[in-house]
């Protein structure tokens, strides 16, 4: 799940304090009406939460792959998809959601996984060279610094 900003372009997180706001963001993402300024790291995580609560992991990952590519293409960011980053986030969010004993609302889950997966968390698991490689962008590559199940 790639996040970042273009030169002179500021990302703005929508509130996402209710389940309805989370659902609206995901719907806008899926139909590519979500403004690119709102396609933030937290928005990526909101999509992960919704898909992982609705679908089995493999279907959720396929769906997020498809929709990120469609969204990016419609928003002029066709080369913006990164498979390893996307899959790593989905793995971590899925593990976290499965570990919860009490059900969370979508908004609560987005808030909690935002703390679990802050921007840059993959740096503890991947060297910059490995994560930036074409191989990692096109397909899954294993971490070279620490396993993903290491929360450190």
């Amino acid at each position: 799940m790639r996040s970042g900003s273009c030169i002179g372009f500021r990302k703005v997180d929508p509130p996402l304090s209710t389940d309805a706001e989370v659902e609206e963001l995901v719907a806008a993402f899926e139909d590519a009406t979500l403004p690119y300024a709102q396609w933030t790291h937290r928005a990526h995580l909101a999509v992960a939460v919704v898909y992982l609560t609705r679908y089995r992991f493999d279907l959720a990952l396929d769906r997020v792959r498809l929709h990120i590519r469609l969204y990016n293409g419609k928003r002029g960011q066709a080369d913006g998809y990164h498979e390893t980053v996307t899959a790593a986030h989905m793995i971590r969010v899925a593990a976290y959601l499965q570990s919860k004993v009490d059900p969370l609302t979508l908004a609560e889950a987005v808030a909690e996984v935002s703390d679990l997966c802050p921007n840059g968390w993959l740096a503890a698991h991947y060297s910059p060279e490995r994560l930036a490689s074409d191989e990692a962008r096109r397909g899954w590559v294993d971490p070279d610094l620490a396993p993903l199940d290491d929360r450190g």
Side-chain angles (χ1 to χ4, degrees):
M1 293 181 165
R2 188 170 180 225
S3 179
S5 59
C6 300
I7 296 173
F9 195 86
R10 188 165 193 272
K11 294 284 188 163
V12 179
D13 271 319
L16 303 182
S17 54
T18 68
D19 286 2
E21 290 171 341
V22 173
E23 295 278 3
E24 288 170 20
L25 178 137
V26 172
F29 159 70
E30 287 184 338
D31 66 20
T33 59
L34 181 71
Y36 191 69
Q38 293 180 18
W39 186 225
T40 63
H41 180 68
R42 190 165 57 119
H44 282 77
L45 293 172
V47 169
V49 165
V50 170
Y51 287 1
L52 288 164
T53 58
R54 290 183 182 164
Y55 308 104
R56 291 187 332 248
F57 180 83
D58 59 331
L59 296 176
L61 182 56
D62 285 346
R63 188 170 182 91
V64 80
R65 284 176 178 137
L66 170 69
H67 283 284
I68 288 175
R69 287 180 173 129
L70 290 172
Y71 178 85
N72 286 349
K74 290 181 181 179
R75 291 292 170 177
Q77 303 291 323
D79 65 343
Y81 182 77
H82 192 298
E83 175 64 19
T84 299
V85 170
T86 299
H89 280 84
M90 293 292 284
I91 290 166
R92 192 161 204 183
V93 172
Y96 180 74
L97 293 174
Q98 290 172 354
S99 76
K100 299 304 288 178
V101 175
D102 296 322
L104 299 170
T105 67
L106 293 174
E108 290 169 337
V110 170
E112 290 189 17
V113 299
S114 294
D115 290 339
L116 177 71
C117 300
N119 268 322
W121 74 272
L122 284 173
H125 303 274
Y126 289 90
S127 65
E129 301 80 19
R130 185 164 179 87
L131 198 56
S133 71
D134 286 340
E135 178 186 8
R137 291 182 67 74
R138 288 190 310 267
W140 173 259
V141 295
D142 290 325
D144 59 342
L145 301 179
L148 286 178
D149 59 349
D150 175 17
R151 301 280 171 127

